[in-house]
């Protein structure tokens, strides 16, 4: 084999191994992230759950089932990819476990609320159907995605996260930086799920006006599923890059202990995913 070709193949393998290690190991703790909660499998695992949770259901039980699977996975993903620099004890871990269980339970019920409204109140008519199946899920999905991040990762605001100077040296732990990291991640997640719920709804509303669709109404269901999966897949990189992975925060926005630091006015923190 040509030595130059062997060199490039060897370096390519090293680069691929390095990228794999970056996505497999938590940057704060150095522990291995569970394979199901790594960023590269977020799309293939969560996309079917998102599609199934947004489709119209005939009863409450299917809606609750798919919402439970989706909210459980989202809570697990948020926790596995959080900023984990804060020191934790057994009491804090128990508190986080309770918060995660509570978040999943509440989000499951709230996510199935449109179906519950239709079934329990026996609403009939085009207006009630459009509101419960098309309009309500958009803000509801976005709010629940943000809610999951804010509750599951509340430990970062309570205990703080590590902040660094421009040279990469850790200078302390800040609750203000933890709150900022949570807010940015919550907004990015709300944008991901809110857009995924909104765009297919708009596309279907336009599609239903076409004469071809009026003659073939069976095409609406697959069009909804495919468009939801495509929009979700396109929005994932947009959402993950909406805010820098290593965020900046001005020194004056941090606690008093950081004001005396000799820095350029900005410190850095790991936002999490």
């Amino acid at each position: 084999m040509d030595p130059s070709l062997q060199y490039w193949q060897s370096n390519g393998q090293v680069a691929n191994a390095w990228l794999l290690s970056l996505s497999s190991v938590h940057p704060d703790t150095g522990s291995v992230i569970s394979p199901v909660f790594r960023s590269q499998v977020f799309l293939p695992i969560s996309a079917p759950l998102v599609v199934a949770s947004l489709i119209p259901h005939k009863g409450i039980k299917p809606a609750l089932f798919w919402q439970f699977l989706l909210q459980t996975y989202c809570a697990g993903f948020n926790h596995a990819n959080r900023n984990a620099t804060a020191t934790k004890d057994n009491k804090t871990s128990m508190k986080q476990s309770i918060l995660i269980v509570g978040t999943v339970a509440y989000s499951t019920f709230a996510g199935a609320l449109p179906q519950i409204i239709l079934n329990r109140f026996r609403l009939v008519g085009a207006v009630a159907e459009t509101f419960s199946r098309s309009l309500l899920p958009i803000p509801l999905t976005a709010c629940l995605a943000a809610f999951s991040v804010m509750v599951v990762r509340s430990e970062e605001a309570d205990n703080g996260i590590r902040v660094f100077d421009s040279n990469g040296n850790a200078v302390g732990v800040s609750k203000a930086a933890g709150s900022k990291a949570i807010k940015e991640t919550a907004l990015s997640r709300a944008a991901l799920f809110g857009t995924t719920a909104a765009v297919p709804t708009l596309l279907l509303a336009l599609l239903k006006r076409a004469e071809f669709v009026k003659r073939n109404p069976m095409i609406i269901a697959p069009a909804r599923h495919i468009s939801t999966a495509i929009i979700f897949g396109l929005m994932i990189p947009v959402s993950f890059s909406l805010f820098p992975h290593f965020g900046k925060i001005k020194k004056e926005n941090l606690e008093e202990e950081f004001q005396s630091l000799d820095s350029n006015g900005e410190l850095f923190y790991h936002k999490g995913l």
Side-chain angles (χ1 to χ4, degrees):
M1 180 183 291
D2 187 351
S4 61
L5 179 60
Q6 186 176 8
Y7 170 81
W8 286 111
Q9 286 181 344
S10 176
N11 277 269
Q13 291 174 353
V14 172
N16 291 334
W18 173 249
L19 292 175
L20 179 61
S21 67
L22 289 177
S23 61
S24 304
V25 178
H26 198 285
D28 298 321
T29 63
S31 59
V32 178
I33 301 175
S34 173
V36 297
F37 294 131
R38 295 174 187 173
S39 58
Q40 61 265 38
V41 299
F42 182 71
L43 174 61
I45 292 180
S46 59
L49 302 180
V50 171
V51 172
S53 65
L54 290 176
I55 62 175
H57 297 283
K58 294 183 178 180
I60 297 177
K61 290 183 178 180
L64 288 172
F65 173 76
W66 288 110
Q67 283 293 333
F68 173 76
L69 293 182
L70 175 63
Q71 301 302 335
T72 299
Y73 180 75
C74 287
F77 184 86
N78 294 334
H79 186 262
N81 293 277
R82 72 197 185 285
N83 184 304
T85 58
T87 303
K88 299 188 299 181
D89 51 24
N90 292 333
K91 185 177 180 180
T92 305
S93 299
M94 179 62 69
K95 176 185 175 182
Q96 283 302 113
S97 299
I98 295 174
L99 286 175
I100 291 174
V101 172
T103 300
V104 172
Y106 176 83
S107 300
T108 297
F109 176 80
L113 193 60
Q115 189 64 45
I116 294 174
I117 292 175
L118 284 175
N119 284 55
R120 291 300 183 186
F121 294 97
R122 302 185 183 280
L123 298 178
V124 294
V127 175
E129 186 84 9
T130 301
F131 173 77
S132 297
R133 296 200 184 279
S134 300
L135 300 180
L136 182 58
I138 297 174
L140 185 61
T141 302
C143 290
L144 289 178
F147 171 78
S148 178
V149 172
M150 297 184 72
V151 177
V152 171
R153 293 180 53 174
S154 60
E155 180 187 21
E156 299 170 36
D158 295 338
N159 298 337
I161 61 175
R162 191 173 295 129
V163 291
F164 306 86
D165 60 19
S166 58
N167 296 320
N169 301 315
V171 295
V173 174
S174 170
K175 295 181 180 180
S179 297
K180 188 170 184 288
I182 295 174
K183 291 177 182 178
E184 290 175 346
T185 308
L187 287 174
S188 66
R189 206 74 90 241
L192 169 62
F193 284 87
T195 304
T196 301
V199 174
T201 299
L202 178 61
L203 292 177
L204 287 177
L206 298 175
L207 192 62
K208 289 178 180 178
R209 298 182 180 181
E211 292 296 329
F212 173 76
V213 177
K214 290 180 181 179
R215 295 192 300 267
N216 303 274
M218 296 294 291
I219 200 175
I220 294 178
R224 177 189 291 112
H225 305 341
I226 294 173
S227 62
T228 300
I230 291 176
I231 296 300
F232 184 71
L234 293 175
M235 279 300 300
I236 287 179
V238 176
S239 170
F240 286 176
S241 61
L242 194 60
F243 296 96
H245 195 61
F246 288 96
K248 298 180 181 180
I249 186 168
K250 293 183 178 179
K251 189 172 64 175
E252 55 265 26
N253 295 332
L254 295 173
E255 290 83 349
E256 186 176 354
E257 61 189 88
F258 295 97
Q259 303 307 316
S260 60
L261 292 176
D262 184 16
S263 64
N264 296 326
E266 287 184 333
L267 293 175
F268 303 85
Y269 59 91
H270 170 228
K271 178 178 68 67
L273 192 59

